[in-house]
């Protein structure tokens, strides 16, 4: 329908004209007229402005009363309280109280700033107290008033102790949102909370607490330490820098989501979580923390995934404990650290075997798990681990370990899987397992350039049903020049090496420089080494199908303290699970490894190998079998345990280094080349001089008997 309207045309004659307007045009015209004249609600009916209550925002005059009056009316009316650009001064003795149903929005975290005095007193209230439900604060800055420049670290004193208190000392709040706000220059804490469904996202926290000064447990940017009744806490996409003690600390919370946060320069722990459950810690970036980057103690149902670390566990940054990028467990031995997945994290330190490394920061330890149950450590990338302040000295048990699975004196671990991790350039061990436990599985990992052992499993006497399988360990450095440094080092303390499966690993330590040269750099002494403290016996082991090559001393070796298993004293049982372990580099013929091949003494181990003749070197145990590769029907069996030598001593003969001979039923090895004397040497002790030759006593000579397969009779 159209509307007929008469309008006065311009001109002195006052002529009129009839113009026909469409109905839709008239409606639009009426709406515009109504907005101008107030027929419809204008913006002032939906919002309040703190300036209308007398706030000045000039950084000098006291805005506390005006601000509080505006907040009180916003709570009654449900209107949004706007805070224009300005610097709003709240004295040290005052506190803004925000009740239920209030929404406050500033013009930006750096533009609309609420600040307080620089004078610090222990009993002053928090700058802002939030109590109640359904509260939203956006785009505001909160300053504790410390007189520092933007790039300065925190000072020891001065500044409001707490900036925002969310119902910490009263009834727990619910449904609180703090978004795109800034918090800076507080003496103690940025936000302390007690509540449910609290979201803090997109905020900046700078110079909160006493950075690198005093280790105070409740200092930090965000905390609910010491209070219960919190749940559904979401801390997302915030930035933290120069924070004292803890950046974020949570305590007894059900459902915590810590995601996308950036933390840099934290005196103590980056993300500290105690006695929580249903933790989701993902995609945070954490660097330069004094203690652990992420600390999770006595928590259950935890995911720590996709986080990035650099020098998070940097003892140079402040007071430090274990100094790991990720710490998970229960060092109180209460059995409460259960069900965790630690996966796909990138952990990097600054340690290097090159002394020219200029980086002053460190990553003392990569991942540290203690007294935990049902934990999976999977697909993490860990490199350059170790304290750089003393590169040639270990600064504690944690220093230089890529992954640690340990136990306290009263605790234990059970069902721990370390799988698919890449660990490289560690000052000490690549993967370190130590303590009481069951079902510890180290499988499918790659460890390269470990300064200590590649994989170190200790106290396996009570680590029952352990497994080290399908790992690749290469290019060990033996950084501390130890007499024994192995790709896989296994140690028992006052017990049996029992129920352990070491199989299908590739252990390589012949770092070939080019395809055309055999010049190798070999530092690691053994591929696999068994050791112990106190009494140590072997029982129920599988050491099979490993590929081991290029080690300096032996491919598989044993400490002298290790012996065979005995049910009755004096009646040992052999270890029979050493099978199909092969040596040989890429261009060598494979050879079956004889455990303890170069050793004088070793436990009774029945091995199988192959050769074209009876061996003239090596330590063979009674019952070991050698198959003749030239005749499949022939084999040689060791009728006693001893060291092989097929040549008898002869006078006035040249002898090369390593040559073995027998005199009677005893075997000797040349340790200094030369020419034998005119008569048989007189043996005294473990060495003997013979002309210009020096012999080392290797023990009793092993005797072999040839067997023809199928006949059941010796040849």
């Amino acid at each position: 329908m159209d509307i007929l309207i008469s309008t006065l045309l311009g001109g002195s004659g006052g002529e009129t004209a009839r113009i026909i307007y469409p109905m839709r045009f008239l409606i639009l015209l009426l709406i515009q007229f109504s907005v101008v004249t107030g027929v419809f609600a204008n913006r002032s009916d939906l919002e309040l402005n703190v300036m209308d209550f007398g706030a000045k925002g000039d950084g000098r005059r006291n805005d506390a009363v005006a601000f509080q009056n505006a907040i009180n009316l916003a709570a009654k009316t449900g209107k949004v309280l706007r805070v224009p650009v300005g610097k709003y001064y709240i004295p040290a003795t005052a506190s803004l109280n925000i009740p239920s149903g209030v929404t406050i929005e500033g013009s930006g975290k750096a533009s609309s700033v609420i600040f307080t005095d620089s004078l610090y007193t222990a009993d002053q209230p928090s700058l802002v107290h939030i109590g109640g439900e359904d509260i939203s604060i956006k785009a505001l800055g909160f300053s504790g008033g410390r007189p520092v420049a933007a790039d300065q670290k925190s000072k020891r004193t001065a500044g409001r102790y707490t900036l925002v208190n969310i119902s910490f000392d009263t009834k727990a709040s619910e449904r609180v949102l703090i978004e795109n706000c800034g918090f800076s220059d507080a003496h103690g804490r940025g936000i302390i909370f007690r509540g449910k469904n609290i979201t803090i996202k997109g905020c900046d926290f700078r110079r909160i607490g006493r950075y690198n000064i005093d280790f105070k447990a409740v200092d930090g940017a965000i905390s609910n330490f010491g209070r219960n009744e919190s749940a559904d806490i979401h801390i997302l996409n915030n930035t933290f820098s120069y924070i004292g003690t803890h950046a974020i600390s949570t305590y007894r919370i059900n459902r915590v989501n810590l995601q996308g946060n950036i933390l840099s320069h934290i005196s103590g722990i980056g993300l500290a979580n105690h006695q929580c459950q249903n933790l989701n810690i993902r995609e945070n970036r954490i660097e330069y923390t004094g203690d652990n980057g992420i600390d999770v103690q006595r928590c259950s149902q935890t995911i720590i995934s996709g986080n990035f670390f650099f020098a998070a566990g940097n003892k140079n940054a402040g007071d430090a404990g274990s100094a790991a990028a990720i710490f998970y467990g229960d060092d109180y031995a209460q059995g409460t650290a259960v069900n965790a997945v630690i996966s796909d994290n990138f952990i990097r330190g600054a340690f290097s075997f090159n002394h020219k490394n200029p980086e002053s920061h460190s990553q003392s330890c990569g991942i540290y798990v203690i007294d935990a149950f049902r934990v999976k450590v999977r697909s993490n990338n860990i490199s350059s681990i170790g304290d750089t302040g003393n590169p040639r000295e270990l600064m504690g048990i944690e220093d230089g370990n890529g992954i640690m699975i340990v136990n306290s004196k009263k605790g234990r671990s059970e069902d721990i899987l370390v799988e698919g991790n890449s660990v490289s350039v560690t000052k000490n061990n690549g993967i370190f397992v130590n303590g009481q436990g069951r079902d510890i599985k180290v499988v499918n990992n790659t460890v390269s350039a470990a300064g200590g052992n590649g994989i170190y499993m200790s106290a396996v006497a009570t680590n029952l049903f352990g497994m080290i399988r399908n790992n690749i360990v290469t290019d060990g450095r033996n950084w501390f020049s130890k007499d024994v440094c192995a790709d896989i080092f296994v140690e028992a303390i006052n017990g049996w090496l029992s129920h352990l499966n070491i199989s299908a690993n590739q252990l390589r330590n012949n770092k070939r420089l080019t395809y055309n040269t055999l010049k190798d750099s070999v530092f690691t002494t053994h591929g696999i080494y068994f050791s112990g403290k106190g009494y140590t016996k072997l029982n129920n082991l599988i050491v099979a199908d490993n590929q081991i090559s290029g080690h300096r001393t032996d491919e598989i070796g044993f400490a002298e303290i290790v012996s065979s298993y005995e049910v009755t004293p004096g009646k040992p049982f052999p270890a029979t699970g050493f099978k199909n372990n092969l040596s040989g580099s890429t261009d060598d013929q494979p050879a079956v490894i004889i455990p303890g091949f170069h050793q004088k003494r070793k436990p009774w181990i029945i091995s199988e190998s192959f050769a074209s003749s009876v061996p003239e070197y090596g330590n063979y145990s009674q019952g070991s079998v050698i198959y003749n590769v030239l005749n499949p029907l022939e084999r040689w069996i060791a009728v006693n345990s001893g060291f092989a030598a097929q040549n008898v001593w002869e006078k006035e003969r040249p002898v090369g280094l390593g040559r073995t001979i027998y005199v009677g039923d005893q075997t000797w090895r040349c340790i200094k080349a030369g020419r034998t004397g005119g008569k048989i040497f007189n043996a005294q002790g473990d060495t003997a001089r013979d002309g210009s030759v020096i012999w080392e006593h290797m023990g009793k000579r092993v005797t072999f008997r040839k067997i023809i397969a199928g006949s059941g009779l010796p040849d």
Side-chain angles (χ1 to χ4, degrees), residues 51 54-67 87-91 113 115 117:
M51 293 291 196
K56 303 302 180 184
D58 58 7
R60 295 182 298 105
R61 284 174 282 188
N62 183 353
D63 288 328
V65 174
F67 230 112
K87 191 172 182 181
Y88 300 87
Y89 168 56
I90 309 298
V113 179
F115 83 104
D117 296 303

Side-chain angles (χ1 to χ4, degrees), residues 475 506-515 517-522 546-551 555 581-593:
D475 301 332
Q506 290 191 21
L507 312 176
R508 308 190 302 269
N509 265 277
N510 51 336
K511 188 175 181 181
R512 187 140 300 172
L513 299 183
T514 71
Y515 289 108
T517 178
L518 297 180
K519 185 178 180 181
D520 298 335
S521 298
V522 181
N546 299 287
Q547 296 172 302
I548 313 174
S549 62
H551 297 85
E555 307 298 4
N581 299 292
L582 300 176
S583 67
S585 63
T586 56
D587 50 3
D588 295 333
Q589 292 291 332
V592 175
I593 294 170

Side-chain angles (χ1 to χ4, degrees), residues 299-320:
C299 296
S300 61
Q301 291 83 49
T302 300
I303 294 176
I304 304 173
S305 180
N307 301 283
F308 293 79
F309 301 86
F310 177 70
N314 172 17
K315 291 191 175 184
N316 296 323
D319 196 349

Side-chain angles (χ1 to χ4, degrees), residues 50 52-56 61-73 81 88-91 94-97:
V50 72
D52 294 336
F53 293 81
K56 303 302 180 184
R61 284 174 282 188
N62 183 353
D63 288 328
V65 174
F67 230 112
Q68 190 62 61
N69 289 337
I71 290 169
N72 294 342
L73 187 58
L81 177 58
Y88 300 87
Y89 168 56
I90 309 298
S95 180
L96 299 179
N97 293 293

Side-chain angles (χ1 to χ4, degrees), residues 411-691:
R412 66 186 181 95
S413 291
E414 187 171 319
D415 188 11
I416 309 294
L417 173 65
V418 181
E419 180 182 28
N421 301 283
S422 175
V423 183
S424 63
V425 189
T426 58
K427 183 179 179 181
N428 199 9
N429 306 296
I431 299 173
F432 176 53
V433 180
N434 182 22
Q436 309 279 329
R438 290 192 176 206
D439 300 310
I440 311 295
K441 298 170 284 293
V442 181
V443 299
N444 296 320
N445 302 282
T446 298
V447 178
S448 62
N453 303 291
I455 298 172
Y456 186 147
M457 181 169 279
S458 180
V460 292
T462 49
N463 266 314
L464 297 178
F465 317 115
M467 179 179 292
I468 304 174
R469 184 175 175 83
N470 290 334
N471 301 283
I472 296 174
V473 184
T474 63
D475 301 332
R477 294 300 300 263
N478 194 6
W479 186 237
F480 302 102
S481 302
K482 294 183 178 180
D483 293 336
V484 175
C485 184
D487 289 343
I488 298 176
F489 188 99
V490 180
E491 177 185 59
I493 301 174
N494 291 323
W496 296 324
L497 290 168
S498 182
H499 294 82
L500 178 63
N501 184 324
I502 304 175
S503 59
N505 300 284
Q506 290 191 21
L507 312 176
R508 308 190 302 269
N509 265 277
N510 51 336
K511 188 175 181 181
R512 187 140 300 172
L513 299 183
T514 71
Y515 289 108
N516 299 320
T517 178
L518 297 180
K519 185 178 180 181
D520 298 335
S521 298
V522 181
F523 305 101
T524 307
T525 61
H526 294 79
I528 303 174
Y529 191 81
F530 295 88
S531 185
K533 297 177 182 177
Y535 67 90
T536 302
K537 298 183 183 297
L538 296 180
N539 178 45
N540 207 340
L541 301 185
I542 296 176
V543 183
D545 303 316
N546 299 287
Q547 296 172 302
I548 313 174
S549 62
H551 297 85
R552 196 171 67 196
T553 303
D554 225 336
E555 307 298 4
I556 300 176
F558 306 86
E560 290 189 7
I561 195 173
V562 178
S563 62
S564 303
Y565 172 64
E566 295 182 358
V567 174
T568 303
K571 295 183 178 180
F573 285 79
T576 59
F578 291 72
K579 295 182 179 180
N580 300 324
N581 299 292
L582 300 176
S583 67
S585 63
T586 56
D587 50 3
D588 295 333
Q589 292 291 332
V592 175
I593 294 170
I594 307 301
F597 189 63
H598 298 288
Q599 293 185 233
K600 295 183 185 181
R601 304 174 185 87
K602 70 175 186 180
W604 183 11
I605 297 173
I606 297 177
S607 60
E608 297 182 6
S609 59
F610 51 81
S612 58
S613 63
V614 175
E616 57 182 54
Y617 185 88
N619 191 331
Y620 292 83
S621 296
Q622 179 182 359
S624 295
V625 179
I626 301 170
Y627 296 93
N628 188 344
V629 295
L630 303 179
N631 184 351
L633 297 180
E634 288 186 359
R635 65 204 63 181
W636 296 277
I637 296 179
V639 297
N640 66 295
S641 296
F643 210 89
Q646 297 307 309
N647 295 292
V648 69
W649 177 88
E650 296 179 86
K651 66 179 180 179
E652 297 179 349
R653 287 295 185 105
V655 178
L657 190 67
R659 170 100 174 184
T660 57
I661 55 96
Y662 66 91
V663 178
D665 63 351
Q666 300 300 308
T667 302
W668 298 81
R669 177 174 63 182
C670 175
I671 59 175
K672 182 183 178 183
R675 192 176 185 86
T676 62
K679 62 179 181 178
I680 195 166
F681 56 87
N682 213 0
Q684 292 183 354
D686 285 340
T687 61
R689 183 173 293 276
D690 175 23

Side-chain angles (χ1 to χ4, degrees), residues 68 71-72 75 97-102 129-135:
Q68 190 62 61
I71 290 169
N72 294 342
N97 293 293
I98 303 177
S100 295
V102 171
H129 183 273
I130 295 174
E133 304 171 352
D134 302 304
I135 297 166

